[in-house]
Amino acid sequence: MALKLNCKYAESFLGENDLTGLKGQVEEAAEKLQKGTGLGNGFLGWVNLPTDYDKQEFERIKKAAETIKSNSKVLIVIGIGGSYLGARAAIEFLNSNNYNELTSGTKIYFTGNSISGSALSELMKICEGKDVSLNVISKSGTTTEPAIAFRVFKEYMENRYGKQEAAKRIFCTTDKAKGTLKKLADEEGYECFVIPDNIGGRFSVLTAVGLLPIAVSGADIDKLMQGAAKAEKAYKETDLLKNDCYKYAALRNAFLRRGYMIELLAAYEPRFSMMNEWFKQLYGESEGKDHKGLFPASVIFSTDLHSMGQYIQDGRRILFETVVNIKECGEDIEIKENADNGDGLNFLAGKKMSYVNEKAFLGTVLAHNDGGVPNLIIELDKADEENLGELIYFFEKACGISGYLLGVNPFDQPGVESYKKNMFALLGKPGYESEKEKLEAKLSK
Ligand code: PA5
């Protein structure tokens, strides 16, 4: 495994038996995941997904990606939450957060992840004069944000290309049989990809949800699945002390039990910032229920050392950090000698920026440790497909184990419905009349 968990900067904050004391509970949680006997067991399709996926569909995804790459300058991906974050996170991790500015291939824009009219109309302007394809992603097919965006973009595509040509440029990723989107796709003749029934949105990045946009970016999705398959195999190890994934799940719970309520995911590369967002959804939506769970937060260093650094060093002692340290990450720059040395940086001449970044990382870990912040380090070799496959599976499996250790169902999200119910009522959706009256009375107080 390229991925390694380094606990050296965390252990001194725990008691001798904090980790080993969880051994039995971790084994029980792992068995529930493997045998499908725990809460939410209808949503465990991701556990064996890296080795047990629809190979024919996988080939169809690659073919569709080639078509899009050959006939489109722009791919618009419509989706929200689990139908959005994984694909974007993977594309930026493997390339750059400036992917669209740097690529000579198809630019990929994500929409339908807010209700902003200005964001949507900006995107239509971006599409002007460029050939466009559309990938609309929604498991339920009824989520408001992507449904509005799809309404707008379907009309845009049909106005530009006519109904028949537009249909060839629209790809749907949704349920295999049910839902509004599937029905529409069948009526209009759009090519469809399946989100398996037993895989929830935030665990779906290795299905067509993530794979089609990721393949359009030029990434090797075979290697991505191979990395995940390696992790699937490695993390079947039942001994907690030999299994980094189980160890991470156990340690974050051990910290929570000691009053560390916030986990800060940190990385030293800007291309990781959308992985941070993916992580926050995965853990926040899986664990934040029944008034339990760590609050997942994130930072990019050294950027955020100049904003959040003060709090992390000196604020309330309720946080621990999980730092993803990527050894090799894209091109590097050597710092040159300067005749004036006005900035006093000649002592760095001949050194690479990655060297300086590494020292910033080590200096920060030690400073934060001194300030009372435990640091778990996830080490990765490089930002490539195999490492990413390992990392995705590592976080997913640890999330399942961790949720069971907490005693929640990690695979549902009942809390997400509350805002939707109020929004529909306030919008006057039929069937929500009495709720509307109550809410308007509250608002007018
Ligand atoms: O993780 C989840 O289940 C959610 O974030 C969903 O992915 C999100 O709400 C989008 O749902 P859908 O794919 O049904 O449009």
Side-chain angles (χ1 to χ4, degrees), residues 345-365:
L345 289 177
N346 270 355
F347 75 102
L348 291 176
K351 296 278 189 293
K352 296 266 173 63
M353 283 186 73
S354 57
Y355 171 85
V356 181
N357 210 12
E358 175 76 6
K359 298 299 173 208
F361 155 62
L362 292 170
T364 305
V365 169

Side-chain angles (χ1 to χ4, degrees), residues 21-30 32 257 401 404-406:
L22 286 168
K23 198 171 177 299
Q25 288 174 58
V26 170
E27 278 167 12
E28 208 180 296
K32 280 184 194 161
R257 290 171 195 195
I401 302 276
Y404 282 157
L405 288 178
L406 262 183

Side-chain angles (χ1 to χ4, degrees), residues 79-84 137-143 146 195 200-204 281 285 413 416 420:
I80 195 166
S83 293
Y84 153 58
I137 309 174
S138 178
K139 188 173 182 187
S140 61
T142 54
T143 308
I195 311 178
R202 58 193 175 274
F203 288 84
S204 70
Q281 189 212 359
E285 214 167 74
Q413 53 284 329
V416 182
K420 290 186 194 167

Side-chain angles (χ1 to χ4, degrees), residues 145-380:
E145 292 87 342
I148 293 176
F150 185 48
R151 232 181 217 230
V152 172
F153 257 100
K154 181 176 182 290
E155 192 187 0
Y156 174 87
M157 294 293 280
E158 287 174 357
N159 286 342
R160 262 192 74 175
Y161 292 104
K163 228 173 155 42
Q164 245 185 345
E165 175 63 16
K168 290 189 200 145
R169 291 176 170 273
I170 298 177
F171 299 83
C172 282
T173 308
T174 187
D175 188 89
K176 68 173 183 308
K178 52 183 193 298
T180 327
L181 187 56
K182 175 65 183 155
K183 192 166 163 277
L184 180 76
D186 288 346
E187 282 164 12
E188 303 278 0
Y190 304 148
E191 180 163 11
C192 283
F193 298 99
V194 174
I195 311 178
D197 282 343
N198 59 357
I199 300 184
R202 58 193 175 274
F203 288 84
S204 70
V205 56
L206 298 177
T207 71
V209 169
L211 294 176
L212 180 57
I214 294 170
V216 172
S217 76
D220 185 335
I221 58 172
D222 284 291
K223 291 218 169 100
L224 183 68
M225 294 307 274
Q226 282 158 20
K230 247 199 222 171
E232 181 192 330
K233 191 169 170 216
Y235 299 145
K236 278 186 183 141
E237 166 64 60
T238 50
D239 183 348
L240 168 63
L241 299 178
K242 291 190 193 144
N243 186 326
D244 278 349
C245 174
Y246 293 3
K247 216 193 273 181
Y248 168 63
L251 285 169
R252 54 198 303 287
N253 276 272
F255 282 123
L256 178 61
R257 290 171 195 195
R258 281 192 175 261
Y260 297 93
M261 288 177 290
I262 297 169
E263 178 178 19
L264 259 186
L265 190 71
Y268 283 73
E269 291 292 341
R271 66 169 67 191
F272 202 82
S273 60
M274 285 308 296
M275 285 298 292
N276 277 343
E277 300 307 312
W278 173 80
F279 165 89
K280 286 190 284 192
Q281 189 212 359
L282 182 63
Y283 280 82
E285 214 167 74
S286 299
E287 296 195 321
K289 48 198 75 156
D290 309 334
H291 297 177
K292 292 182 184 169
L294 281 157
F295 182 82
S298 69
V299 281
I300 292 293
F301 289 155
S302 64
T303 315
D304 293 326
L305 288 171
H306 297 259
S307 60
M308 296 302 289
Q310 174 60 39
Y311 192 101
I312 300 166
Q313 189 69 43
D314 266 347
R316 288 193 74 185
R317 302 299 70 192
I318 49 172
L319 19 108
F320 71 93
E321 285 167 279
T322 298
V323 184
V324 178
N325 184 35
I326 311 165
K327 286 187 200 112
E328 244 181 81
C329 198
E331 278 176 37
D332 212 345
I333 286 186
E334 188 179 300
I335 299 166
K336 301 246 165 64
E337 179 93 24
N338 179 281
D340 304 338
N341 195 26
D343 54 13
L345 289 177
N346 270 355
F347 75 102
L348 291 176
K351 296 278 189 293
K352 296 266 173 63
M353 283 186 73
S354 57
Y355 171 85
V356 181
N357 210 12
E358 175 76 6
K359 298 299 173 208
F361 155 62
L362 292 170
T364 305
V365 169
L366 295 176
H368 288 178
N369 264 195
D370 285 346
V373 183
N375 271 238
L376 290 166
I377 317 293
I378 294 171
E379 282 163 3
L380 283 186

